[in-house]
Amino acid sequence: MGQAKWVSSKRLRKKNRVIPGFGLSMGITISMLSLIVLIPLLSIFVVLSGVGPADFWKAISDPQAVAAYRVSLICALAAALVNALFGTILAWILVRYRFPGRRILDGLIELPFALPTAVAGIALTTLYSDNGWIGKLLAGIGIKVAYTPIGITIALIFIGIPFVVRAIQPVLEKLDGQYEEAATMLGASGWQTFRRVVFPEIRPALLTGFGLAFARGLGEYGSVIFIAGNIPYETQIVPLIIMSKLEQFNYGAATSIALVMIVFSFLTLFAINFIQSRLNHAAKGAE
């Protein structure tokens, strides 16, 4: 009886498989992952094998490179924090309210993904330059945007907002409204309901969107190159440093700096995943 049940369960699992067996599926997955991710990353270490420790340290600790690290990290962090706040608000509006043009607004969220980054950079520079529509108004009150870290941050907000919205939106759509109604009936205010009922549910998604926006901001080039102005020690970002090294055929220095940015991105994603794991563990323990 037990054997028959096991055979029946095994047949049911085979019947429910949509794609071919595990071996073939895993082989295709590993092959694609190797071609797209692993081999390009390994090529960095191949290039670095010809760079001595002294040259490696000289490249990554150059004062101009260190200043570029600082600009990239600060601007990417500021943009990710802004996106975390306003991305949550935007996702909430798209899910909880019905209004004319909602579908159009929802579709526009994907625009930074579809729009070429160079086009976005030119458009932002045109708008926020001293003679631009918005830049002229801000210049009148003494705020300069183009060719400053503020302009870089705005460009990173533009390309990072979809990550946060698309991470939080599905969670809000699946969230049962009965919990909020129960909290309201028990006397909780709107803020208390959000803080104690809604926020714990969207927190993992918010952390994911924040991490992706931050990691994308660290390596963004096309949308930032025009509005940054490439001023050494002020608005020069790390991708610009790497491109300048490549134009000088200094592949060792360019690869060394690129490795530092890869480490930054991996540490960011690892930290986000670690925090999520701890939060999920704490939530299960509370249950």
Side-chain angles (χ1 to χ4, degrees):
M1 182 70 179
Q3 174 122 9
K5 186 177 180 181
W6 178 80
V7 171
S8 176
S9 176
K10 186 176 180 181
R11 287 178 179 173
L12 183 61
R13 288 199 303 269
K14 286 184 177 180
K15 185 178 179 181
N16 289 334
R17 286 174 180 167
V18 179
I19 58 178
F22 174 78
L24 179 60
S25 303
M26 181 59 71
I28 294 174
T29 301
I30 294 177
S31 299
M32 292 300 296
L33 184 65
S34 299
L35 290 172
I36 296 174
V37 179
L38 298 180
I39 293 177
L41 288 178
L42 287 175
S43 66
I44 293 178
F45 293 96
V46 172
V47 174
L48 286 176
S49 63
V51 179
D55 293 333
F56 175 79
W57 178 252
K58 181 180 178 181
I60 66 173
S61 62
D62 180 74
Q64 193 170 349
V66 172
Y69 298 149
R70 183 174 62 252
V71 171
S72 293
L73 286 171
I74 292 175
C75 292
L77 179 61
L81 289 173
V82 172
N83 282 331
L85 175 60
F86 289 99
T88 303
I89 297 173
L90 187 53
W92 181 274
I93 292 173
L94 291 174
V95 172
R96 295 302 176 92
Y97 297 99
R98 296 294 181 267
F99 52 89
R102 187 181 69 88
R103 292 185 179 275
I104 296 176
L105 179 61
D106 190 37
L108 288 175
I109 298 297
E110 307 287 349
L111 185 61
F113 288 155
L115 194 67
T117 55
V119 175
I122 294 173
L124 290 172
T125 305
T126 302
L127 284 174
Y128 288 99
S129 65
D130 291 341
N131 296 323
W133 293 346
I134 301 176
K136 185 185 297 185
L137 298 175
L138 294 175
I141 58 176
I143 300 176
K144 182 177 176 61
V145 176
Y147 316 127
T148 67
I150 299 176
I152 298 174
T153 303
I154 290 175
L156 297 183
I157 291 172
F158 175 79
I159 58 98
I161 191 70
F163 291 102
V164 179
V165 175
R166 291 305 185 228
I168 296 176
Q169 196 171 1
V171 180
L172 286 175
E173 289 174 348
K174 294 179 181 180
L175 187 62
D176 193 348
Q178 293 181 354
Y179 296 107
E180 299 172 50
E181 293 175 3
T184 303
M185 292 177 63
L186 291 173
S189 64
W191 169 246
Q192 289 175 327
T193 301
F194 177 80
R195 184 167 58 90
R196 295 181 178 273
V197 177
V198 178
F199 184 72
E201 295 294 329
I202 68 172
R203 183 167 50 193
L206 177 59
L207 287 173
T208 299
F210 171 84
L212 292 174
F214 178 71
R216 170 68 186 273
L218 284 177
E220 180 60 22
Y221 176 75
S223 61
V224 179
I225 178 70
F226 298 103
I227 201 168
N230 195 22
I231 303 173
Y233 303 99
E234 293 185 20
T235 62
Q236 195 172 48
I237 59 175
V238 175
L240 284 171
I241 292 281
I242 295 174
M243 288 300 299
S244 66
K245 297 295 183 184
L246 291 175
E247 291 172 355
Q248 299 167 11
F249 302 100
N250 192 349
Y251 299 113
T255 308
S256 300
I257 298 172
L259 180 61
V260 173
M261 299 308 295
I262 291 174
V263 171
F264 280 150
S265 297
F266 270 110
L267 288 177
T268 300
L269 297 178
F270 176 79
I272 294 297
N273 290 330
F274 177 76
I275 294 172
Q276 285 182 337
S277 176
R278 299 291 294 180
L279 291 174
N280 292 333
H281 182 72
K284 290 179 180 179
E287 293 176 356

